[in-house]
Amino acid sequence: MKEISCKLLVIGAGPGGYVCAIRAGQLGVDTVIVEFGKPGGTCLNVGCIPSKALIHAAEEFGKIAHMARGKDPLGIKVGAPTLDLTKTIAWKDGIVSRLNSGVAGLLKKAKVKTVQGWATFRDGKTVEVETETGTQVIHAETVVIATGSAPVELPFLPFGGPVISSTEALALSEVPEKLAVVGGGYIGLELGMAFARMGAKVTVVEALPRVLAQYDAELTRPVLKRLGELGVEVMTGANAKGLSAKGDALLVETADGKNAKIAADRILVTVGRKPLTEGWGLEQIDLDMAGKFIRIDDQCRTSMRGIFAIGDVTGEPMLAHRAMAQGEMVAEIVAGHKRSWDKRAIPAICFTDPELVTAGLSPEEAKALAGEIKIGQFPFAANGRAMTKQGEDGFVRVVARADNHLVLGIQAVGQGVSELSAAFGLALEMGARLEDIAGTIHAHPTQGEGFQEAALKALGHALHV
């Protein structure tokens, strides 16, 4: 049994874990990182990156299919396209492989030792790692838990056969003729819309009164419109009940209490994610929990001295960039620096068609906090760049205090608005006021002009609407 010691041990090489390890290594901290799978975690391997690759392929296919139907106003004429999904998946896998190698190279450059295997706590300072060559014991002064999360499995729809999670959906060899999606959150709609663009007949089953319930209804309206255009059937207030006896249909109780059967080649279950808190010896240490998540303070410290936790295992929002920010901060704290982070400015993006972005407070949250507020909203239908990209649906919205015009929240829905998230986050992080955004010269013609115009609208003198 081999034994090594280090100053910092990071368990999990997802976005939070590998960023923490790299930054610690840069700061001269003797660091070891343990990962059972490939570096990059869920995000890089079976989540953020591969899903965006599939979504992009679906968008390109959808554009050509639309042109082939003779309904495109650009004057482009093409034949009906075909899709080799096996080749698409191979292209996606190539991107993932390159990024895997990149993360591994960055860890090596930062002089971080990587141990491949499954880590289990002996106590708060010691873990055992089962590797291919035997058991490795690691003693550490400080431990960072970055074990991530996994898809939630429904007891009456266990994964296997036609029932798949997002992981399997990103590795299919052919487009399902009929796809049922259980769960109308961002993962279900992102993938459901992608497969619909690739030709699948998609039905979304959501137990709540509306899909994308975490966003306000006005923000999601363009997405609902697009779902209809894609032929996606959306069943709200409906509950999935199980798989048919033949395994070829999803059994559903509709909003009016009736039983229905949805024919499906595949049933994609996307009802959320759960923290990975089992299987690595949590019972050997005494950590306070916040429900199913590990409880942390504002610097990611757990209830045990010398143990930090970051990322999905610590709760919502389960976002890779949140985990990265936490990981960087923790590394600097371990290195002796004074650090904190401001979680108010974490943008969240839904890569549906069109895309959704939120940063900071919603209008309702802002009103509850600040009382009187100002709201400025600018439609992309009045934006020249959006017109030239055939993306006129949607808007940018800015929410600010009425008394001092401090910006509290920014939201947008539209084609490609994910790229505006950096500007939104920066404005909130820097404590911008409406006058700061309105007085910043935005390049023309760009969709970013909508941000400036929304601020102008809130101030009462919009120029282009």
Side-chain angles (χ1 to χ4, degrees):
M1 188 176 292
K2 299 178 182 178
E3 297 195 19
I4 58 174
S5 296
C6 61
K7 182 176 178 62
L8 176 64
L9 169 64
V10 181
I11 302 175
Y18 80 69
V19 165
C20 182
I22 289 170
R23 183 61 182 136
Q26 290 174 344
L27 293 169
V29 177
D30 178 24
T31 304
V32 174
I33 190 167
V34 178
E35 172 57 52
F36 179 73
K38 294 180 179 179
T42 293
C43 177
L44 196 161
N45 293 289
V46 292
C48 315
I49 301 301
S51 67
K52 303 314 165 285
L54 190 69
I55 288 168
H56 173 68
E59 288 172 345
E60 296 300 294
F61 182 81
K63 288 176 185 177
I64 299 170
H66 184 71
M67 292 173 183
R69 290 192 289 269
K71 297 181 179 181
D72 192 87
L74 302 181
I76 301 173
K77 296 181 180 179
V78 297
T82 58
L83 178 67
D84 183 348
L85 189 60
T86 301
K87 190 171 183 179
T88 305
I89 297 301
W91 167 74
K92 176 265 294 181
D93 289 343
I95 293 172
V96 171
S97 179
R98 286 164 55 196
L99 290 172
N100 284 145
S101 298
V103 171
L106 290 169
L107 288 166
K108 185 176 181 180
K109 180 181 178 182
K111 299 181 180 179
V112 175
K113 178 178 176 57
T114 300
V115 177
Q116 186 85 19
W118 188 269
T120 306
F121 276 99
R122 275 188 183 177
D123 55 49
K125 300 290 185 182
T126 311
V127 302
E128 288 185 4
V129 183
E130 295 302 324
T131 71
E132 291 183 354
T133 57
T135 301
Q136 174 86 69
V137 177
I138 305 173
H139 304 281
E141 293 180 25
T142 303
V143 180
V144 176
I145 299 170
T147 50
S149 62
V152 172
E153 183 177 49
L154 295 173
F156 50 87
L157 276 174
F159 295 132
V163 182
I164 60 175
S165 71
S166 56
T167 299
E168 291 77 37
L170 294 169
L172 292 174
S173 58
E174 58 184 24
V175 178
E177 183 179 337
K178 297 175 182 178
L179 174 68
V181 179
V182 180
Y186 72 95
I187 297 175
L189 289 196
E190 283 183 4
L191 293 177
M193 295 180 89
F195 280 109
R197 284 195 293 267
M198 289 188 285
K201 171 58 181 172
V202 178
T203 303
V204 177
V205 177
E206 171 56 55
L208 295 175
R210 62 187 186 88
V211 296
L212 296 176
Q214 65 269 49
Y215 301 97
D216 66 77
E218 185 178 21
L219 200 61
T220 61
R221 195 168 292 121
V223 179
L224 294 176
K225 176 185 174 184
R226 183 62 177 143
L227 284 167
E229 292 171 350
L230 289 171
V232 176
E233 182 181 356
V234 178
M235 301 174 66
T236 55
N239 291 290
K241 291 297 183 181
L243 192 63
S244 66
K246 293 183 179 180
D248 60 352
L250 174 67
L251 305 178
V252 175
E253 182 183 340
T254 63
D256 57 5
K258 296 180 180 178
N259 293 322
K261 184 182 288 188
I262 301 170
D265 305 302
R266 298 281 183 173
I267 298 170
L268 172 60
V269 177
T270 59
V271 293
R273 297 185 64 83
K274 61 181 180 180
L276 285 173
T277 57
E278 297 179 357
W280 45 263
L282 180 61
E283 64 279 2
Q284 299 300 319
I285 53 179
D286 186 23
L287 297 182
D288 288 348
M289 305 296 288
K292 56 188 177 180
F293 300 104
I294 297 175
R295 185 185 298 279
I296 55 172
D297 66 9
D298 58 1
Q299 292 186 313
C300 296
R301 291 184 173 90
T302 70
S303 58
M304 286 189 69
R305 187 187 300 273
I307 298 182
F308 293 80
I310 61 176
D312 288 4
V313 77
T314 65
E316 298 287 353
M318 289 186 176
L319 299 171
H321 43 286
R322 169 182 176 261
M324 290 176 172
Q326 290 176 319
E328 182 186 16
M329 177 190 68
V330 168
E332 296 190 358
I333 290 172
V334 173
H337 296 199
K338 291 184 177 180
R339 270 297 310 270
S340 62
W341 72 307
D342 188 350
K343 60 184 178 182
R344 292 175 297 178
I346 304 174
I349 303 169
C350 181
F351 289 88
T352 44
D353 178 15
E355 296 173 345
L356 298 167
V357 176
T358 64
L361 303 181
S362 68
E364 294 76 17
E365 291 168 337
K367 191 170 184 179
L369 176 70
E372 189 177 355
I373 60 173
K374 285 182 176 290
I375 298 176
Q377 187 165 306
F378 185 81
F380 283 123
N383 178 268
R385 181 59 175 147
M387 292 180 184
T388 64
K389 292 175 64 180
Q390 298 177 283
E392 298 180 36
D393 286 339
F395 57 84
V396 180
R397 183 173 65 200
V398 178
V399 183
R401 291 178 63 106
D403 55 1
N404 61 8
H405 297 176
L406 178 69
V407 177
L408 300 176
I410 310 161
Q411 300 87 36
V413 55
Q415 187 184 105
V417 294
S418 58
E419 295 302 324
L420 297 180
S421 63
F424 297 170
L426 181 62
L428 290 169
E429 179 67 28
M430 299 302 292
R433 300 177 189 271
L434 291 171
E435 290 83 358
D436 296 318
I437 299 169
T440 299
I441 298 173
H442 286 64
H444 175 79
T446 64
Q447 287 181 260
E449 290 177 275
F451 187 25
Q452 181 184 28
E453 289 281 356
L456 287 167
K457 181 71 179 293
L459 290 169
H461 51 89
L463 296 173
H464 289 92
V465 68

